[in-house]
Amino acid sequence: MSSSSPFLSRLAARLGIVDSRYDNPEPSTKGGRVRLPDAELRAIALNDPVKNGVKEFVDNKISTTKYTVVTFLFKFLYEQFSRYANLFFLFIGCIQQVPGLSPVNRFGTLLPLGIVICASAFKEIVEDSKRARSDAIVNATFVKTLHGRQFVEKKWKDVVVGDIVRVENGQFFPADLILLSSSEPDALCYIETSNLDGETNLKIRQGLPETAHLLDSEMVSLLSGEIKCELPNNSLYTFEGNMTFAGGRTVALDPGQLLLRGAMLRNTRWIYGVVAFTGHETKLMKNAT
């Protein structure tokens, strides 16, 4: 039985049943939790845009369109003729072009097929245009971000990893955020995640006690340290990381501090949060693609 264990372990890993991140014989732990290797962590400097800028994180601009001007013709025709029915009628239409081989009109099949293809192309263009307009509206939405010692408005598409943002009641979160503090006692806030999981009941999130006292822009601007968290993934209900303050103290982060893009702040006047994942690396977009 013991001799078969390595084989079963390798088989399970190949099938994706286990997570190879935890295969270290002596994983490092903190607070009873397994910590990921540094190679599989994202490091975010607090209030240091220069240091974050050199890491080339993806921007927060999103695009949900299927086509571009360059790729439309090729992608559209590939999709249309990947359908067996269209491919069959194209084949029949080509055969009908051979003189004397077909007793019916040479364009009796190609003409109706062409009309169907053109109608489908028009429909795809209209739908993709709607997606592009919706993306433009979302990307141009404003959110308040910390600049120096005050919050200034910035478009969602210009938000970057490491920015500290202020989101107010009734607003959507512009990216995946790590909650620092809120207008409520003990850094509590309430969010609605119906766009993510269809649930309309409000959920509670709570910032760390170590950051709950950051109640204005002056205090937030003095925050320094580093956040190390997991790499972008599509799991809506898990999150691992830690926050290390300038004094050297490290505290663990969990899903209770994570505010996902697509969720809305409710029954809370405002929250402050650090941007962890942006654009197509947010959990919402990871599940949409």
Side-chain angles (χ1 to χ4, degrees):
M1 182 70 180
S2 60
S3 61
S4 65
S5 295
F7 170 76
L8 294 176
S9 299
R10 289 194 300 271
L11 179 62
R14 184 179 289 270
L15 293 175
I17 297 174
V18 298
D19 191 338
S20 59
R21 297 179 300 178
Y22 304 110
D23 287 346
N24 297 326
E26 295 182 358
S28 56
T29 61
K30 187 177 182 68
R33 297 166 54 189
V34 178
R35 293 194 304 176
L36 298 177
D38 285 346
E40 298 186 15
L41 290 174
R42 162 168 290 193
I44 305 168
L46 297 173
N47 279 319
D48 193 342
V50 175
K51 189 173 182 179
N52 290 324
V54 300
K55 297 179 182 178
E56 298 182 350
F57 297 120
V58 302
D59 59 38
N60 203 38
K61 184 178 181 179
I62 64 164
S63 174
T64 59
T65 56
K66 291 174 61 177
Y67 311 103
T68 65
V69 175
V70 176
T71 64
F72 174 76
L73 183 62
F74 302 102
K75 290 184 70 174
F76 173 74
L77 291 178
Y78 176 79
E79 289 182 359
Q80 291 300 310
F81 291 108
S82 295
R83 301 171 183 173
Y84 291 122
N86 289 346
L87 195 60
F88 171 77
F89 286 113
L90 178 64
F91 178 71
I92 296 299
C94 292
I95 292 178
Q96 289 177 342
Q97 304 310 302
V98 180
L101 187 61
S102 174
V104 298
N105 188 291
R106 293 174 59 187
F107 300 102
T109 300
L110 287 182
L111 185 59
L113 178 62
I115 293 174
V116 171
I117 296 297
C118 289
S120 298
F122 178 76
K123 174 176 172 290
E124 289 290 327
I125 291 173
V126 170
E127 290 183 350
D128 219 43
S129 297
K130 290 180 179 178
R131 284 191 287 265
R133 286 194 294 270
S134 177
D135 291 342
I137 293 173
V138 170
N139 290 328
T141 303
F142 285 95
V143 66
K144 293 180 179 179
T145 61
L146 186 66
H147 184 73
R149 298 199 172 195
Q150 61 182 352
F151 283 93
V152 297
E153 288 192 334
K154 181 189 287 189
K155 292 182 178 180
W156 278 23
K157 66 178 182 179
D158 298 325
V159 170
V160 296
V161 172
D163 276 352
I164 296 180
V165 301
R166 175 189 170 108
V167 179
E168 298 180 350
N169 187 44
Q171 293 182 340
F172 288 97
F173 301 117
D176 289 351
L177 311 177
I178 296 173
L179 177 62
L180 294 176
S181 59
S182 76
S183 59
E184 303 302 306
D186 302 320
L188 288 170
C189 74
Y190 303 90
I191 64 172
E192 180 183 317
T193 60
S194 56
N195 287 345
L196 298 170
D197 53 21
E199 297 182 9
T200 57
N201 57 302
L202 300 185
K203 298 179 174 64
I204 298 176
R205 295 292 184 267
Q206 184 173 16
L208 297 171
E210 289 80 3
T211 60
H213 66 284
L214 304 175
L215 301 179
D216 57 47
S217 58
E218 288 279 343
M219 299 180 71
V220 175
S221 66
L222 299 176
L223 180 65
S224 62
E226 185 180 54
I227 293 175
K228 288 188 176 181
C229 64
E230 62 188 19
L231 295 178
N233 59 74
N234 64 355
S235 177
L236 297 175
Y237 305 107
T238 62
F239 181 74
E240 293 182 10
N242 58 67
M243 183 182 296
T244 302
F245 298 97
R249 185 181 180 187
T250 299
V251 293
L253 298 170
D254 59 45
Q257 287 86 50
L258 188 63
L259 305 172
L260 300 180
R261 178 177 182 140
M264 177 188 287
L265 184 66
R266 299 290 299 273
N267 297 346
T268 308
R269 283 188 295 148
W270 53 261
I271 64 96
Y272 295 149
V274 181
V275 176
F277 306 124
T278 51
H280 289 273
E281 289 186 342
T282 59
K283 292 179 182 287
L284 172 67
M285 298 305 296
K286 285 282 188 180
N287 280 278
T289 56

